[in-house]
Amino acid sequence: MHLGSRQLWLATRVTRIGIASAICALLGTVATAAQSPSPSESGTTSAAALLRVTCVANSAERTYCTGDTSAGVVLIKSNGPADCLLGRTWGYDQRGVWVTERCSGEFAFGGLTQQVTVDPTSAPQSPREPTPRIETWGEFDPGDGFLVARTKLGELAISGYGLVRFIDQTPASQTFIDHLGNERSTDARNDVFPHRIIVYLKGWLADPKLIYTVFFWTVNATDQRAIFINLGYQFSRKFSVYAGIAGNPGTRSLQGSHPYWLGHDRVLADEFFRPYFGSGVWAQGEAFPGFWYNAMVGNSNSQLGVTAVELDRRYTTSGSAWWMPTTKEFGPRGGYGDYEWHEHVATRFGVSTTQSREQRYTDTTTGATTNTTLRLADSVNVFDRGALTPGVTIDLVDFRILSFDAGLKYRGIFLQTEIYHRWLDNFQADGVLPVDSILDRGYYVQAAFYPLPKKVELYGATSQIFGDKNAGFGNASEYLAGMNFYPFDTRNIRLNLQLIDVNGSPVSSTFGYYTAGQDGTTFSAAFSVLF
């Protein structure tokens, strides 16, 4: 009778912990009842009982309960104020079981889970959650999404991201003077676009460690579209290897934090100094708790618009390392802003670098420059004819960046800075140039807080860019203020309002907030969803 009542109680909890967890819990109860000796037989607590642990999260931070997870982990009972959802509010790694977002549950691991293992091809599966994976720290990380199918052959889930944005750059028309004294015009915008849409198909094939993500990606404001796939094998949390398209990890924003930024796009200094996205192979892992690395070898600094026949035989190399000493984490995706409301101070310190031999990629029909990623501090494309001296065109240049970043989160407060050094040298041109190298420096500071936790976030930022004075370049800057409003109980749906005072923008990108040479004000309003 005692065993039957336990079965009946577990059945009533199916809708809360998922069918699969309930079946595992039921079998675990049977195994425990069948194998645990009675006190009269042993006089001691059973070994099976020692393999259970209750783990409680009282905040948004991860709480760890140590144990041997090599044989897997099962949620036996959820008994807290919030649902315990695998991959969202609970999971496990080599250190033990972790819980977050006020999930409280009773878990079983080690030898007990070996006894209750169920064939995933025959057991019912939760329709809500795809198989959790190790952090991938890539720019195109999918959302949690929805599970479509799971069989012994693999898994398919779908997720997506969408952004609708209004932007008004003022003044409507103006001119600026570049570092050679030439007058140039600024093309300001005032428009509304369903700006950026990404649809992800993700899952695993043959082995849950062999993961894939198919991307359907478009930026309507620039009329760009792409379909590509990333593949990876996650050997362990210490080492995983991937191939496909990813951000060259030369700055912090290229490594998985999108779209968890304060605004929907990068600040001025980050947009000017950062590398771009290339095809290649990269490795990532957590060398020891709280210390991660990311190393990549790619074809070029930017993949978009470049065909295979245009590539030379040189590779772009990038690497980054970051340390989170206090809490061993920095929130989901390592994102900006403390939506999670850390009860203990979370810190992160990082260093990143990228090196690339960049080509002009001349359009064979018009003769125009098609490599648009590298701009001088006066916003002129380094490959445009006459960029450094009249009548001379640069065909090749070495691009190097070194950046240092530091961040802090505590009870809704967020503070982050990144310091940049960028070198352009080893020029190859069709004439004599007045300089051998250019070194630009800069930084940004971003800060945010929540006057209404998880509802309203206020933030501000400044960017300062110092052009190489020895090469004739001046400085640029910005000051901005913004607000995020989260109408639902999730960080993945938000309204963003932002006002930027731009002073001589060296950046020109329809993708982001800035246009070449702008000296004025930009207002943007945007609404985004991630699932």
Side-chain angles (χ1 to χ4, degrees), residues 151-284:
T151 72
K152 64 181 180 181
L153 300 178
E155 177 182 282
L156 171 65
I158 185 170
S159 61
Y161 172 75
L163 167 65
V164 177
R165 185 178 73 181
F166 162 75
I167 189 168
D168 182 15
Q169 299 170 333
T170 62
S173 62
Q174 67 179 125
T175 59
F176 68 98
I177 306 299
D178 67 21
H179 82 288
L180 295 178
N182 302 310
E183 185 177 74
R184 297 174 179 264
S185 61
T186 294
D187 185 15
R189 296 172 54 192
N190 180 28
D191 52 61
V192 179
F193 266 96
H195 180 60
R196 186 158 62 250
I197 301 98
I198 311 174
V199 176
Y200 311 94
L201 304 179
K202 64 174 186 173
W204 54 268
L205 296 170
D207 183 335
K209 291 185 177 182
L210 178 60
I211 66 171
Y212 71 89
T213 305
V214 178
F215 303 86
F216 298 85
W217 177 87
T218 181
V219 179
N220 289 316
T222 58
D223 196 27
Q224 291 175 306
R225 293 169 294 277
I227 302 174
F228 54 94
I229 187 171
N230 285 355
L231 299 172
Y233 194 84
Q234 299 185 322
F235 291 92
S236 70
R237 193 173 178 87
K238 292 183 179 294
F239 177 77
S240 298
V241 64
Y242 306 89
I245 296 180
N248 291 295
T251 61
R252 185 57 50 212
S253 69
L254 269 294
Q255 301 177 71
S257 52
H258 180 267
Y260 290 168
W261 298 333
L262 299 183
H264 278 99
D265 285 291
R266 294 174 177 85
V267 297
L268 186 68
D270 193 9
E271 189 65 49
F272 176 68
F273 287 103
R274 71 175 179 97
Y276 283 73
F277 307 99
S279 296
V281 177
W282 62 98
Q284 300 170 352

Side-chain angles (χ1 to χ4, degrees), residues 97-120:
V97 179
W98 58 262
V99 291
T100 186
E101 297 284 356
R102 309 189 75 81
C103 159
S104 174
E106 182 180 353
F107 301 89
F109 50 89
L112 181 58
T113 59
Q114 292 177 341
Q115 298 167 8
V116 302
T117 298
V118 180
D119 182 357

Side-chain angles (χ1 to χ4, degrees), residues 398-415:
D398 283 353
F399 159 71
R400 292 178 292 139
I401 182 172
L402 178 65
S403 65
F404 303 91
D405 65 278
L408 174 150
K409 294 182 179 183
Y410 178 64
R411 296 182 63 84
I413 297 171
F414 167 74
L415 180 65

